[in-house]
Amino acid sequence: MLRERSSRRRMASSSTAAAALVVAALLLSSSPSPAAAAAGRGGELRMKHSDGGYSYNRTLAHIFVQYASAVYTSDLTSLFAWTCPRCQSDTKGFEMIEIIVDVENCLQAFVGVAPDPQSILIAFRGTQEHSVSNWIEDLFWKQLDVGYPGMPDAMVHHGFYTAYYNTTVRHEILESVRWARKTYGRLPINVVGHSMGGALASFCALDLSVKYGSQEVQLMTFGQPRVGNPSFAAYFSDQVPRTIRVTHQNDIVPHLPPYFCYLGEWTYHHFSREVWLHETIVGNVVTRNETICDGSGEDPTCSRSVYGRSVADHLEYYGVSLHADSRGTCQFVIGSTNMAYGTILEVDRTIIMTRYPQEWHAVESI
Ligand SMILES: *[C@@H]1O[C@H](CO)[C@@H](O)[C@H](O)[C@H]1NC(C)=O
Ligand SMILES: *[C@@H]1O[C@H](CO)[C@@H](O)[C@H](O)[C@H]1NC(C)=O
Ligand SMILES: *[C@@H]1O[C@H](CO)[C@@H](O)[C@H](O)[C@H]1NC(C)=O
């Protein structure tokens, strides 16, 4: 069922409870950090890595984090026109192709063409369904309960997996990328995301890498949780070698769901390559330090060397805020004007604002 909308819409889900209280509960439940416990052990699993000399580019990270921040904008009209307050400076000249808002799961993503680096850029935001803290608390209990198709032993979490693979989001992104490459030429593809958006960005980058080839796709995530087991991480690193997973100081989310090195394939395990942002204090001098971590995915000298319990560190990377402008709610606004070159569709509880012709959106449900 497909309807056109041009009227103003607002949607909101239930608001948050006292976040501070939840954080306090979190601290109690996270007794000895699995990271710190594991750091002291030998015999750790070492992942094969084949990043072919791919390296971290700080300038690029500063640009990408701005896209990861902009995708949190709830005023979809200004996001579409790229006039929103977070749509400035290094990202000027970005051309939006499509915004996708999965209302049910409170997820938002966009696809467009970036001027620097010239590429198709896809950004995912984190969930805001309840409060960030509630979502973080849930992360402690995620089971590895879905086998990743075509990869023996690879397991991921059902919720992360279906949020990308079993929603309209995936279909729309694949079609937008197909249209963009037809219209703008064979541009490389960059995928970015923060928090839960980093988990979705990972699946998206893997998906596109299988489709278009590993050298065409680059992934950078900020404060993402673990998404799969060691086999999945190894498979991921082979398929998406151009991956940087940025973590910040004591950000709690990269520590979750927990990693237990003695559980073999039954533990979550990050893929490489982590870049850990942290401050080093010597005497009175505070130095901002960026550590390029090893290729294992679980470098004990990076974020795993600290007790990651900070929500504040989760919400800021490179000095850029990464959360919704309306905190703790899933809300967005579409103005009635300035949609001169866009179309608004609603498919399966997903709002789509798009620049390309409607026939590309044909899905089974229509
Ligand atoms: C890093 O990225 C920036 C922005 O795209 C680019 O201008 C620069 O050439 C890159 N540096 C290296 C060493 O690749
Ligand atoms: C995907 O979604 C459909 C319909 O919403 C559902 O019936 C199916 O079980 C889902 N598949 C998975 C793997 O969750
Ligand atoms: C940066 O951090 C690493 C540990 O992650 C440490 O070995 C190094 O000395 C630090 N660099 C500075 C300039 O503080």
Side-chain angles (χ1 to χ4, degrees):
M1 164 92 185
L2 178 131
R3 279 165 290 154
E4 269 205 58
R5 301 268 164 139
S6 57
S7 59
R8 190 177 176 86
R9 283 179 73 102
R10 271 173 190 277
M11 296 191 194
S13 77
S14 61
S15 192
T16 136
L21 217 67
V22 180
V23 175
L26 264 173
L27 294 181
L28 289 173
S29 63
S30 68
S31 42
S33 147
R41 290 166 192 267
E44 285 203 25
L45 197 85
R46 288 279 149 193
M47 312 299 313
K48 171 170 82 113
H49 63 97
S50 53
D51 56 9
Y54 177 67
S55 60
Y56 170 65
N57 178 335
R58 179 179 302 132
T59 311
L60 206 56
H62 279 262
I63 296 172
F64 284 167
V65 75
Q66 292 175 46
Y67 287 106
S69 172
V71 71
Y72 277 101
T73 301
S74 55
D75 175 355
L76 301 185
T77 308
S78 69
L79 182 62
F80 197 84
W82 208 251
T83 55
C84 69
R86 298 179 189 209
C87 309
Q88 309 293 328
S89 62
D90 293 336
T91 65
K92 263 209 162 61
F94 181 73
E95 283 183 55
M96 188 64 78
I97 291 172
E98 178 157 313
I99 302 173
I100 305 133
V101 183
D102 177 339
V103 179
E104 194 156 1
N105 300 302
C106 198
L107 299 168
Q108 186 164 319
F110 65 66
V111 182
V113 175
D116 176 28
Q118 208 195 22
S119 58
I120 296 166
L121 191 132
I122 305 166
F124 291 88
R125 68 169 229 184
T127 184
Q128 295 290 140
E129 192 164 7
H130 304 295
S131 71
V132 176
S133 304
N134 285 348
W135 176 75
I136 290 171
E137 192 177 30
D138 274 355
L139 278 180
F140 277 98
W141 315 112
K142 298 286 186 208
Q143 300 296 307
L144 286 157
D145 50 8
V146 170
Y148 192 83
M151 177 62 200
D153 302 329
M155 302 281 289
V156 295
H157 173 64
H158 174 259
F160 296 155
Y161 181 85
T162 53
Y164 176 72
Y165 283 102
N166 205 17
T167 60
T168 311
V169 173
R170 177 186 186 225
H171 175 269
E172 288 301 318
I173 284 171
L174 293 182
E175 287 300 278
S176 299
V177 170
R178 195 156 74 88
W179 184 81
R181 281 172 72 104
K182 187 167 173 277
T183 309
Y184 293 80
R186 232 185 89 181
L187 295 175
I189 302 164
N190 286 306
V191 190
V192 305
H194 167 246
S195 194
M196 173 71 177
L200 268 75
S202 307
F203 285 124
C204 178
L206 178 55
D207 198 17
L208 292 169
S209 194
V210 168
K211 193 174 162 74
Y212 293 108
S214 295
Q215 291 311 308
E216 303 284 313
V217 180
Q218 185 168 237
L219 170 69
M220 194 177 288
T221 69
F222 307 93
Q224 75 158 93
R226 295 186 180 93
V227 295
N229 70 349
S231 285
F232 178 76
Y235 175 63
F236 193 94
S237 295
D238 272 351
Q239 282 295 326
V240 197
R242 298 157 66 80
T243 294
I244 297 291
R245 190 171 52 73
V246 187
T247 59
H248 178 213
Q249 193 91 4
N250 292 302
D251 180 351
I252 186 172
V253 173
H255 293 262
L256 299 171
Y259 164 63
F260 300 104
C261 64
Y262 45 85
L263 284 184
E265 288 298 331
W266 294 99
T267 182
Y268 280 89
H269 192 293
H270 271 306
F271 47 73
S272 68
R273 180 168 303 260
E274 179 184 4
V275 171
W276 184 41
L277 313 178
H278 58 112
E279 289 171 351
T280 314
I281 303 164
V282 181
N284 290 328
V285 184
V286 179
T287 317
R288 283 191 170 225
N289 190 336
E290 300 179 353
T291 305
I292 318 285
C293 311
D294 71 18
S296 71
E298 295 288 351
D299 187 338
T301 67
C302 280
S303 66
R304 283 182 59 220
S305 66
V306 297
Y307 286 88
R309 289 174 172 178
S310 170
V311 173
D313 289 350
H314 180 60
L315 300 176
E316 190 198 299
Y317 273 73
Y318 301 98
V320 174
S321 283
L322 291 155
H323 53 74
D325 24 28
S326 55
R327 261 174 96 173
T329 59
C330 179
Q331 186 180 66
F332 56 92
V333 181
I334 302 173
S336 53
T337 54
N338 298 328
M339 281 300 295
Y341 34 54
T343 312
I344 306 177
L345 314 169
E346 186 184 335
V347 182
D348 287 344
R349 304 210 57 191
T350 301
I351 305 289
I352 298 161
M353 295 175 78
T354 185
R355 174 162 292 172
Y356 62 90
Q358 276 185 46
E359 55 267 30
W360 283 68
H361 296 276
V363 286
E364 310 80 77
S365 59
I366 296 177

